[in-house]
Amino acid sequence: MIVTLTVNGELRSASVPPETTLLVMLREHLHLTGAKTGCDVGDCGACTVIVDGLAVNACLMLAAQADGRTVTTIEGLATREGLHPLQKVFEETGALQCGFCGPGVIMTSKALLDHTPEPTPQEIRTALTGNLCRCTGYVKMIEGVQEAAAMMRSPQSPALAGQSPALAAPEQK
Ligand code: FES
Ligand code: FES
């Protein structure tokens, strides 16, 4: 079957078997390998992408279920002007160690910040319960999400200088 998605702002199509997951379509058919294959059964969150504004485990969603929908992957966050504030903060603060969980954590955090621009540490912790990290205690990650949120709320922030208007004033849902 032909599945067509809007991925990171571009219309992309692939011919896939009906049982193909969104994760396999992204990684193997569209060559977007930022979303990771961890458990493949919905336990680890390494495969998290955003579909129509919601963070989802791409290993649990059929590509057919995503047909016609809008998908954002980690590859879609940075702009020509620079990294997304979440990427920038995580890179600068060493919030991650091995990094395997990183794309999923960042996409879950982005979905949270798109809906909740000023989350509490508990709200961030709750949002990240589906993202397993075997290396860290989540403390730096949670601080990093709060720091990125502050940057995104403040268009004057030096970290956002040169970023697109969409980043300086994130779309509200
Ligand atoms: S690979 Fe999808 S939740 Fe683990
Ligand atoms: S940094 Fe290694 S799994 Fe999270």
Side-chain angles (χ1 to χ4, degrees):
M1 64 181 296
I2 303 292
V3 174
T4 301
L5 318 169
T6 300
V7 185
N8 302 331
E10 286 181 23
L11 212 53
R12 304 285 303 272
S13 295
S15 177
V16 299
E19 68 276 13
T20 304
T21 64
L22 175 58
L23 182 60
V24 168
M25 178 171 170
L26 290 171
R27 288 181 58 84
E28 297 180 14
H29 296 263
L30 302 184
H31 309 296
L32 293 167
T33 55
K36 302 301 178 205
T37 306
C39 62
D40 223 13
V41 292
D43 286 340
C44 74
C47 63
T48 305
V49 298
I50 298 176
V51 178
D52 287 348
L54 296 177
V56 304
N57 289 333
C59 70
L60 292 184
M61 184 173 211
L62 291 174
Q65 292 174 297
D67 189 40
R69 300 174 77 173
T70 297
V71 179
T72 306
T73 70
I74 190 79
E75 289 92 342
L77 293 200
T79 66
R80 276 198 207 97
E81 290 77 24
L83 295 175
H84 185 279
L86 282 162
Q87 294 171 307
K88 195 171 173 61
V89 166
F90 275 38
E91 182 194 36
E92 288 175 356
T93 63
L96 300 171
Q97 290 180 25
C98 81
F100 187 79
C101 67
V105 166
I106 288 173
M107 296 314 290
T108 297
S109 300
K110 182 186 185 305
L112 172 69
L113 297 186
D114 286 346
H115 296 280
T116 309
E118 197 168 355
T120 64
Q122 187 54 49
E123 285 174 317
I124 299 168
R125 190 171 283 279
T126 299
L128 292 177
T129 50
N131 292 88
L132 298 187
C133 176
R134 290 178 174 82
C135 304
T136 78
Y138 292 85
V139 174
K140 280 191 176 178
M141 271 185 211
I142 291 168
E143 289 172 358
V145 174
Q146 286 199 292
E147 195 176 324
M151 289 163 62
M152 293 167 73
R153 291 194 306 272
S154 171
Q156 290 79 29
S157 165
L160 287 183
Q163 292 279 16
S164 69
L167 274 184
E171 176 187 342
Q172 299 296 302
K173 306 233 179 239

